[in-house]
Amino acid sequence: MLLTIGDLIDDVLVRRAGGLERGTDNVATIRHARGGSAANVAAAAAASVATRFIGCVGDDPAGDALVRRLEQAGVDVRVQRGGRTGTIVILVDDEGERTMITDRGAAAELGPIDPAWLDDVEWVHVPLYGFSTEPSRSAVVEAIDRMLRPPVRVSLDLSSVATMRELGTRELRALIARVRPDVVFANRDEAACAGALALDLSSVEAYIVKRGGEPVVVTVGGDEVHVAVEPVEGLIDSTGAGDAFAAGYIATAMSGADVASAARAGADLARRALTELGAL
């Protein structure tokens, strides 16, 4: 079973062709969707592998609705409840790039995790957001500490340049040393930030860097594998594309495939996400 731990949040997607004109009305397409990086990975992977999600949502109707949507995607949902459900306003421009304005709400308040929720897990995936603040950081670290490694594998998504900068070199180095991820995902900007912060990722089994339309670079044991990606037609929104990549990669890797095959599967699922408004 794949376990993801992190955020389940209400995404408010705002898509407008062209820029925003300040001080007046701007016509846009606006809709609510299930979001949160960990939840997105769980939903995208659930069609291929048994998947469980652990997180915290508000004790409110928004939390109820998000849990239902994630369960409808085929995910075993285990959540703590309290406070108010988080919200992210996502501004999507005419090139599909997104700018996120984030209020994590209850997602940041994840507390100690019931050990029974960790049963039967083969792979744990954790986005960096879950480590950004307490108490969620301690809850996620303690959950990973409970895992028998091997055989359980752990993947970490660097997720956000802003979060990486906020944590800084010292905290990130300590986190990587404690979590000991087998696989690390990053996009081009996050990889550049990791370099600027002098993070040492040489010990991870596979370091995957997604570079838009350019080949994905997978570093294994110091050797680079370049995996070509097919062009995207009808690009609408990059929201959740990285999460879809992680889902495709992990589900394929769990089947025993090599890193190149897993990266191709990730790229295929990410390409599908790019043609829809919101995450898969």
Side-chain angles (χ1 to χ4, degrees):
M1 174 176 286
L2 165 63
L3 169 65
T4 71
I5 309 175
D7 294 1
L8 174 57
I9 286 179
D10 183 25
D11 278 356
V12 181
L13 294 143
V14 181
R15 185 170 188 263
R16 170 175 164 76
L20 293 175
E21 184 178 355
R22 188 179 181 189
T24 188
D25 294 323
N26 291 268
V27 177
T29 300
I30 302 174
R31 75 175 182 87
H32 287 259
R34 179 260 309 139
S37 182
N40 293 344
V41 173
S48 302
V49 64
T51 304
R52 178 179 298 149
F53 166 83
I54 294 175
C56 183
V57 297
D59 189 13
D60 51 29
D64 295 339
L66 289 172
V67 169
R68 283 197 303 271
R69 289 178 189 173
L70 195 53
E71 289 175 337
Q72 288 166 359
V75 178
D76 174 14
V77 181
R78 312 287 180 96
V79 292
Q80 301 168 8
R81 305 294 295 263
R84 59 180 177 76
T85 296
T87 301
I88 302 178
V89 177
I90 303 174
L91 308 178
V92 184
D93 65 22
D94 55 355
E95 296 180 350
E97 187 56 87
R98 78 279 189 272
T99 300
M100 296 178 289
I101 304 168
T102 304
D103 175 1
R104 293 181 65 216
E109 301 302 320
L110 179 68
I113 293 169
D114 184 341
W117 292 4
L118 307 176
D119 290 345
D120 305 318
V121 171
E122 301 169 58
W123 189 304
V124 184
H125 177 73
V126 285
L128 190 64
Y129 298 116
F131 299 103
S132 61
T133 59
E134 293 289 1
S136 65
R137 181 188 307 177
S138 291
V140 178
V141 168
E142 289 167 7
I144 293 172
D145 282 348
R146 289 179 176 272
M147 301 290 176
L148 181 62
R149 307 192 42 205
V152 176
R153 303 173 74 191
V154 173
S155 55
L156 170 68
D157 196 321
L158 295 182
S159 302
S160 162
V161 167
T163 303
M164 293 175 69
R165 288 174 178 162
E166 182 178 350
L167 287 169
T169 299
R170 182 176 178 180
E171 288 289 339
L172 282 170
R173 284 179 174 174
L175 174 65
I176 291 167
R178 178 72 180 271
V179 172
R180 297 180 292 115
D182 300 287
V183 177
V184 173
F185 297 99
N187 63 23
R188 189 198 309 266
D189 292 340
E190 293 151 7
C193 186
L197 293 173
L199 298 185
D200 181 8
L201 297 171
S202 61
S203 63
V204 303
E205 176 185 312
Y207 178 36
I208 298 107
V209 179
K210 303 155 289 180
R211 304 187 301 162
E214 297 180 25
V216 176
V217 178
V218 183
T219 303
V220 180
D223 296 325
E224 290 187 355
V225 178
H226 291 244
V227 180
V229 300
E230 296 182 17
V232 177
E233 297 183 5
L235 172 63
I236 292 177
D237 178 17
S238 59
T239 302
D243 299 327
F245 182 100
Y249 182 99
I250 294 167
T252 304
M254 288 178 69
S255 73
D258 60 29
V259 294
S261 298
R264 278 192 288 271
D268 288 344
L269 204 54
R271 188 168 60 253
R272 176 184 154 197
L274 289 165
T275 62
E276 300 182 13
L277 185 59
L280 293 178

